Structures are given as C-alpha cells and as structure tokens.
C-alpha cells in the first residue's frame, strides 16, 4: 500500500471510531458502537502492520495479547469490571512509557533522527509529555485497581504536607523534563519517569471509594492523552486521532461524573471523601428502623400500581440482576408498572448498572436515568432499593453535609420504600442514611439475590 492508501485507511478507521463513540452514548446502540470500534481497530492495525518491516513479530504479539485478553475476559465477573477497566488503562500508560524509552534509545528506528543526530527538540517535548502522562496513568491505575479490588485500603490515605510534597515532586519532574529537552541525556529522562510513576501513586491514594467513578473516567482520559502524545512523536496520525478521542471523551465523562456528585475535579484530586466501610462498628448506633421479610415485601409489591427499582453495587455483588428480571416480569404480568432508576455514579464506574441490567436482557425502555425519573417518585407506590446507599441518601439535601448538593434519586418521596441490604453499614461516603430510619421505609436484610428470589416465590 502507498502512503496515500495508508492515510485513507487511517481516515476510514477514524470515522469508525467516531461512530463507535456515538453508538456508545446510548444502551440501544451500544452493541452497534462496539462493532464499529472493532472494525475501526482492525483497519487501523492492518494498515499499521503493512507499514512495519517485522510484521511477523507484530502478529505474534497480537496473538499472545489476544489469547491473554480472551482468557481474562471469560474469567472476569461483572462485579470486577471496574478494576478490569483500571487495569486496561494501566497497560496503555505503560505502553506509552515503553515506546518513549525505545524512541529515545533508538530514534533512527522510528524515523525521528535529526540531520545533526539525536532527537529534534519538538520530538523531545512530545516524548517528555507522553512519558510523564503515561507513567502517571500506569501507577495511578494500578493504585485504583488495588482500591477497587480490595487489595489496597479503599479509604483515603492522607498525611501532613501531602499536597506540598506532590507540588515539589511535580516541579522537579518538570525541571528534569526541561533538562532532557536541552541536552537529551538519559539521567534527567529517567528521573522524570521515576517521579511521574511516584506522582501517579500519590495523587490516587488520597481519593476514597466514593470518588472512584471519577478516578476511572479521569484515568481513561489520561491514557488517551498519553497515546496521543506518543502519536505525535511517532508521526502516526491514527494514534493521535484515537488517543485524542479517548482523552477528550474521558475528560467529558469526568466532568459529567463530578457534576453528578456535586464535586469539582480539583476537589476530587486534592482529597476525596469517604472510604469503603463494611464493619458493624460504623452502624447507626441507637437510631431505630423498621425491618421486614421477603414475604412482607412481596405483599407490598404485588399490591402496588407503580414500582421503581433502584439498583446499586449490592446488586452487582450478589449477581441479582436475573432474579430481579424474573420479579419484574411477574409484576408486569400482574399489571404493575415497573421501571428502573439509574444514578450516574451507581456502582463503581459509569454505566456499571446499565451493563448489569443489559446482561439480564432487561428492556431498555424500562431503564431510566435520574433526570428522566426523579419527578415520578412522588407518585410511586413502592421503591425497591437493592444495595444502593449514597445515591439515595437525603443527607444530600442537608446544608453542611459532606455530600450536600449531590444530586440523588428521590426515593424518600415515594409512599413506601423497601431497602435490601446485608447490614446497616454505611456506604462509600462514610455517612449514615436517613432514608433507612423513615417511617415509610422497611429494611430487608440479606443477600440481594436470595432476598429477591424469596420475593419471587412469595
């Protein structure tokens, strides 16, 4: 293929990537969006392989990576999707760093050797940016993976002088990068890379579990910009375009997540709130609540005219989506109007609940976003909350609360509220939930799947 044909192939692949993002904007078109993305990637990879001399090694690497990816994808549970996404981001960041190291070591092999020998200043700048963004993405994603998987403490890790230390390290890192641009020596490049890895750890450890959805989308954005930066260095337009699409879409998603949580981006980075709390020591103390059984819940649901189901991370942990679908079908057959309410940050990553419900083949027209359904709660007979906590906490309406102003699903406005939880433990934000102590609320303790199955039997 000629250079012009390669350029056309990259253009076609870019169009497919854009169509993929468009398709992923709605559950109804998400599968089509995935297909467009796959087609675009196949075209881009094939065009790149044609440009490569040692294409046999590329094919071998793709085969090995594809095999590993297939095995991991088959073994991964839906509840582990957030940490899988974090792991994938880390690989993109590491790839950017390794490519930059290879380019600095042998610029001639990448076709970026200047007439006087060495790297042109512009390429040094591009490699500098791509390297530190990629390194921060890698180490930050590894920490996020650890927090999400439970291998690391999910609560914020803070210490005195933390922000000042981050600032000093960032200044030294930038200084080393500038020195690398001036004299093209390995020492400042290595120092810059090591400090970037360290900064990636330090900016993620103070962020608590409640802010993890923002961190996931933020790291997604970082991985895209890292790829785009390396694309400039390699003069690869496909890498620049695809990286920019990922970077910009991740940044927009981060903004949407912050808005949904009434948080500013800098507020999240400078110290997130809340950590995952599972112990009974954090329970509600002397406050009283009303509890019931699955049979009580079945009676209330069967005699309602309208029901709204609010899924949360507890539903994901219990893998209760199929049991919930069976319950929904029985209620619909009885003439009950059933819908699902999805909060933008429900679960541990954007779209987590949508994916779970789609896996159970729950019709998309039954699944509504927060803005679409919030006005309906006041006229709803029964709200069934399955493992959700902070996204239904009325404390968001109380001035002075740590989550004040955070948009929530207005479950407290319904006539009756049924809450399925394992215990009275608080959520990621570390706050007690006033909804659980209202007279209209009935707590049903147990595994979400088992509780819903018992409701179906009743």
């Amino acid at each position: 293929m000629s250079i012009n044909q390669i350029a056309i192939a990259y253009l076609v692949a870019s169009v497919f990537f854009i169509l993929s993002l468009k398709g992923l904007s709605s559950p109804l078109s998400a599968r089509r969006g995935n297909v467009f993305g796959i087609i675009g990637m196949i075209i881009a990879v094939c065009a790149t392989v044609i440009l490569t001399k040692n294409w046999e090694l590329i094919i071998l690497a793709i085969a090995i990576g594809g095999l590993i990816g297939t095995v991991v994808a088959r073994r991964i549970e839906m509840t582990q999707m957030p940490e899988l996404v974090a792991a994938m981001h880390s690989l993109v960041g590491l790839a950017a760093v390794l490519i930059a190291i290879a380019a600095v070591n042998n610029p001639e092999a990448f076709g970026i050797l200047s007439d006087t020998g060495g790297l042109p200043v512009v390429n040094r700048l591009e490699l500098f940016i791509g390297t530190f963004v990629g390194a921060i993405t890698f180490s930050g994603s590894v920490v996020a993976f650890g927090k999400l998987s439970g291998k690391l403490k999910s609560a914020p890790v803070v210490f005195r002088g933390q922000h000042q230390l981050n600032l000093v390290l960032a200044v030294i890192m930038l200084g080393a990068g500038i020195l690398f641009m001036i004299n093209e020596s390995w020492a400042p490049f290595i120092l810059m890379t090591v400090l970037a890895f360290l900064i990636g750890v330090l900016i993620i450890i103070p962020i608590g579990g409640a802010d993890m959805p923002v961190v996931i989308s933020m790291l997604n954005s970082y991985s895209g910009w890292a790829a785009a930066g390396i694309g400039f260095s390699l003069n690869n337009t496909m890498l620049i375009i695809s990286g920019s699409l990922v970077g910009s879409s991740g940044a927009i998603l981060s903004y949407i997540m912050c808005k949904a949580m009434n948080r500013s981006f800098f507020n999240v980075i400078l110290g997130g709130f809340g950590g995952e709390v599972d112990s009974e020591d954090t329970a509600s103390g002397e406050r009283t609540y009303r509890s019931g059984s699955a049979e009580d819940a079945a009676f209330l649901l069967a005699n309602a005219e309208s029901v709204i189901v609010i899924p949360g991370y507890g539903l994901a942990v219990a893998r209760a989506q199929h049991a919930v679908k069976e319950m929904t079908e029985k209620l619909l057959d009885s003439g009950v109007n059933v819908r699902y309410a999805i909060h933008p940050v429900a679960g541990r990553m954007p779209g987590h609940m949508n994916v779970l419900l789609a896996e159970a083949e729950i019709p998309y027209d039954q699944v509504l976003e927060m803005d679409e359904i919030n006005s309906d709660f006041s006229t709803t007979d029964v709200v069934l909350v399955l493992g959700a906590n902070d996204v239904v906490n009325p404390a968001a309406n109380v001035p002075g609360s740590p989550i004040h102003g955070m948009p929530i699903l207005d479950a407290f406005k319904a006539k009756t509220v049924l809450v399925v939880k394992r215990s009275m433990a608080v959520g990621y934000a570390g706050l007690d939930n006033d909804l659980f102590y209202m007279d209209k609320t009935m707590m049903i303790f147990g595994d979400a799947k088992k509780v819903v199955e018992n409701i179906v039997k009743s």
Side-chain angles (χ1 to χ4, degrees):
M1 294 178 71
S2 66
I3 296 299
N4 289 336
Q5 290 173 320
I6 294 293
I8 292 173
Y10 280 165
L11 178 61
V12 172
S14 301
V15 171
F16 274 109
F17 289 151
I18 294 171
L19 292 173
S20 176
L21 284 178
K22 174 63 177 175
L24 293 173
S25 64
S26 169
L28 292 171
S29 56
R31 291 187 178 182
R32 183 170 68 248
N34 275 322
V35 172
F36 285 147
I38 292 170
I39 294 173
M41 186 57 67
I42 291 174
I43 294 173
V45 169
C46 289
T48 303
V49 168
I50 291 172
L51 285 174
T52 307
K53 294 180 180 178
N54 299 323
W55 60 268
E56 298 92 345
L57 293 177
I58 300 295
I59 297 298
L60 177 62
I62 291 174
I64 294 173
L67 177 62
I68 295 172
T70 301
V71 172
V72 171
R74 287 185 174 277
R75 291 182 177 180
I76 207 76
E77 297 288 345
M78 290 304 297
T79 53
Q80 298 174 310
M81 285 301 294
E83 49 258 49
L84 176 64
V85 172
M88 295 299 103
H89 292 164
S90 73
L91 295 179
V92 176
L94 183 60
V97 173
L98 294 177
I99 291 173
I101 292 173
V104 173
N105 181 61
N106 189 3
E108 186 177 4
F110 290 85
I112 53 177
L113 191 67
S114 66
D115 296 335
T116 58
L119 285 163
V121 176
V122 174
N123 289 106
R124 293 180 213 166
L125 173 62
E126 294 162 354
L127 289 170
F128 160 48
I129 296 173
T131 301
F132 84 75
V133 174
I136 290 174
T137 302
F138 172 74
S139 56
S141 297
V142 170
V143 174
F145 170 84
K147 282 177 172 280
L148 289 167
S149 62
K151 292 178 173 59
L152 295 177
K153 183 181 179 182
S154 64
V157 177
V158 296
F159 52 86
R160 181 174 295 181
Q162 189 169 27
H163 299 319
Q164 292 82 351
L165 175 62
N166 290 346
L167 179 61
V168 170
L169 292 177
V171 170
I172 297 174
M173 182 193 72
L174 292 173
I178 293 172
L179 190 59
F180 164 71
M181 289 173 56
I182 294 173
N183 61 19
E184 196 184 342
S185 62
W186 273 104
F189 180 82
I190 293 173
L191 176 61
M192 172 199 72
T193 306
V194 171
L195 289 178
F197 281 126
L198 180 58
I199 290 172
V201 173
L202 291 174
I203 65 173
I204 301 300
I205 59 173
I207 301 176
D211 286 327
M212 271 300 127
V214 178
V215 174
I216 292 293
S217 57
M218 177 189 72
L219 291 170
N220 177 47
S221 179
Y222 285 2
S223 67
W225 297 125
I230 296 302
F232 278 106
S233 301
L234 303 181
N235 196 28
N236 188 302
T237 55
M238 187 69 264
L239 206 52
I240 296 170
I241 292 172
S242 59
S244 298
L245 287 172
V246 173
S248 57
S249 60
I252 293 170
L253 187 58
S254 297
Y255 169 77
I256 293 172
M257 292 298 103
C258 286
K259 185 177 179 182
M261 300 168 67
N262 195 36
R263 308 272 281 151
S264 71
F265 175 77
F266 291 105
N267 186 230
V268 172
I269 294 302
L270 294 178
F273 63 72
E276 189 172 6
V277 183
D278 293 321
S279 86
E280 292 296 332
D281 295 336
T282 58
S284 52
E286 298 300 323
R287 301 181 68 179
T288 58
Y289 55 86
R290 183 165 60 104
S291 63
S293 64
E295 290 74 20
D296 298 327
F299 176 81
L300 292 169
L301 290 167
N303 287 278
E305 291 184 3
S306 58
V307 171
I308 295 178
V309 179
I310 300 178
Y313 187 68
L315 175 140
V317 172
R319 296 192 59 80
Q321 60 269 32
H322 297 283
V324 171
K325 182 190 179 184
E326 185 180 358
M327 178 194 71
T328 300
E329 290 176 340
K330 284 185 175 292
L331 290 172
L332 289 171
D333 291 341
S334 300
V336 181
N337 179 24
V338 183
R339 290 167 296 169
Y340 296 82
I342 306 296
H343 191 280
V345 295
R348 289 189 175 180
M349 64 178 289
H352 197 181
M353 295 301 104
N354 300 79
V355 172
L356 286 173
L357 298 181
E359 185 190 26
E361 297 185 351
I362 291 172
Y364 295 129
D365 58 359
Q366 294 177 13
V367 182
L368 302 176
E369 299 297 328
M370 179 177 66
D371 294 337
E372 299 175 297
I373 200 169
N374 245 0
S375 60
D376 295 347
F377 280 104
S378 58
T379 57
T380 298
D381 293 323
V382 179
V383 168
L384 178 61
V385 181
L386 293 168
N389 199 325
D390 298 322
V391 297
V392 294
N393 194 341
N397 300 322
V398 179
S401 167
I403 62 171
H404 176 244
M406 172 182 168
I408 61 169
L409 291 165
D410 294 334
F412 66 94
K413 293 182 178 180
K415 296 176 183 177
T416 301
V417 181
L418 304 175
V419 179
V420 178
K421 276 175 60 71
R422 292 178 182 270
S423 70
M424 291 298 290
V426 298
Y428 284 168
L431 302 175
D432 213 352
N433 194 330
D434 292 338
L435 176 67
F436 301 162
Y437 308 99
M438 292 183 174
D439 293 337
K440 65 173 66 178
T441 302
M442 177 187 291
M443 304 297 299
I444 306 167
F445 297 111
D447 176 86
K449 183 178 181 180
K450 292 180 180 178
V451 170
V452 174
E453 286 175 345
N454 288 334
I455 290 174
V456 172
K457 291 177 182 177
S458 298

